[in-house]
Amino acid sequence: IIDIESLNNKMNENLIHKVKYDLKYVNKKRELIYISSPYRGLLPAYYIFKQIHNLCPDIKFKVFSCFNRGSVSDNKDYKDYIDNKEYKPLTKDNLSNILTNSFDNYYKDLYNLFIENENIEFYGSVTQEELFKHMKTAMVLFYPNTYAETFCTSIIESMMYGCNVITSNLGAIPEASHGFSTLLDTKLDKVLDINYDTQDAFINPITINDLPKEYIDNFIDKTIDLINNYFSNNNQELLKRQYEYVSNNCKWSDRVNILQTILNDL
């Protein structure tokens, strides 16, 4: 069986040529970043972060997540955002800009919790270029994943920008992260059931109460450890090898070579 999804997911060749390994990543801040769909772990992420912040008050959380591909509903406003290349965290006054579909409205209460928390910046959806700016400063891709990914391009991109990754061992995430991430077991048999589909995940997402205490405690402890030891020699060596793996194995040309090898062996 060929996993076409994992073959299709790759890094843009131009991006890899533009990003260079930066020893010690001097621009990094004590920031966590979440960049996946709301139904794939955003609910647990909020509550886990609150517990982390109680222990480490200087840690910030940036959230790039919603179902609306644009953070503003008016085309002119959206064009102004793009032209100015300036995105600001959403507020209660402009949250309605992303509440243009039933799914985002379904998550409205969660979005308000993010907006009300002064230690969280909630952006909704931004351009890829804007997202990469925040990856450059974040230390950790904070992703308590609760949906079996077929692959995860966001993990690859975060690895490229010198982020440590902490997430779950669901789906193809272990393959995507290639041994560089901290992977925890959710023990969620439900999400691996063949009848558990995207629609179920949309309207009945996994909550913090569905996750075992061991998973939550480990996620908190290991996230804090990653932040506190980000600049350690051991971690910097891991990030360097992580960067080299992505730049040497995750381009389109690399995927083509893998597929060609598989076809030749058939």
Side-chain angles (χ1 to χ4, degrees), residues 164-182:
N164 286 117
V165 177
I166 180 167
T167 184
S168 308
N169 63 353
L170 290 171
I173 285 181
E175 177 189 354
S177 56
H178 201 70
F180 292 104
S181 301
T182 300

Side-chain angles (χ1 to χ4, degrees), residues 17-30:
H17 290 313
K18 185 165 57 176
V19 179
K20 294 182 179 179
Y21 175 73
D22 181 8
L23 184 64
K24 296 294 185 185
Y25 293 102
V26 293
N27 294 322
K28 290 292 186 176
K29 302 175 183 177
R30 289 170 68 84

Side-chain angles (χ1 to χ4, degrees), residues 49-210:
F49 170 72
K50 282 186 64 177
Q51 295 183 59
I52 289 173
H53 188 263
N54 288 336
L55 298 170
C56 295
D58 63 332
I59 294 179
K60 302 296 182 181
F61 188 22
K62 293 184 175 181
V63 178
F64 299 85
S65 181
C66 67
F67 296 95
N68 189 332
R69 294 297 294 178
S71 286
V72 289
S73 56
D74 182 87
N75 287 334
K76 179 181 181 301
D77 289 342
Y78 185 72
K79 186 175 185 301
D80 288 342
Y81 266 123
I82 302 302
D83 290 346
N84 295 331
K85 292 184 171 60
E86 181 180 359
Y87 285 82
K88 295 180 180 179
L90 290 166
T91 66
K92 287 199 170 185
D93 292 333
N94 62 11
L95 177 61
S96 60
N97 289 333
I98 67 169
L99 301 180
T100 59
N101 58 80
S102 59
F103 288 126
D104 277 315
N105 274 288
Y106 192 77
Y107 284 79
K108 180 180 177 181
D109 290 343
L110 176 61
Y111 295 165
N112 274 311
L113 288 176
F114 284 121
I115 289 172
E116 292 168 358
N117 192 315
E118 63 181 12
N119 303 297
I120 300 175
E121 295 180 4
F122 176 56
Y123 289 86
S125 177
V126 300
T127 63
Q128 190 177 53
E129 180 181 1
E130 179 70 14
L131 182 60
F132 290 160
K133 291 178 183 177
H134 294 275
M135 284 186 185
K136 288 179 181 179
T137 62
M139 287 185 176
V140 175
L141 176 66
F142 183 74
Y143 187 20
N145 171 254
T146 58
Y147 185 85
E149 300 255 17
T150 52
F151 202 78
C152 188
T153 306
S154 297
I155 286 179
I156 300 295
E157 293 168 343
S158 299
M159 289 166 62
M160 189 71 186
Y161 277 103
C163 295
N164 286 117
V165 177
I166 180 167
T167 184
S168 308
N169 63 353
L170 290 171
I173 285 181
E175 177 189 354
S177 56
H178 201 70
F180 292 104
S181 301
T182 300
L183 304 179
L184 302 178
D185 186 0
T186 63
K187 302 187 185 302
L188 291 174
D189 294 335
K190 169 186 174 181
V191 303
L192 299 176
D193 190 293
I194 192 171
N195 295 315
Y196 184 78
D197 58 18
T198 305
Q199 184 72 12
D200 291 330
F202 278 167
I203 62 177
N204 293 303
I206 299 298
T207 70
I208 192 71
N209 294 326
D210 297 316

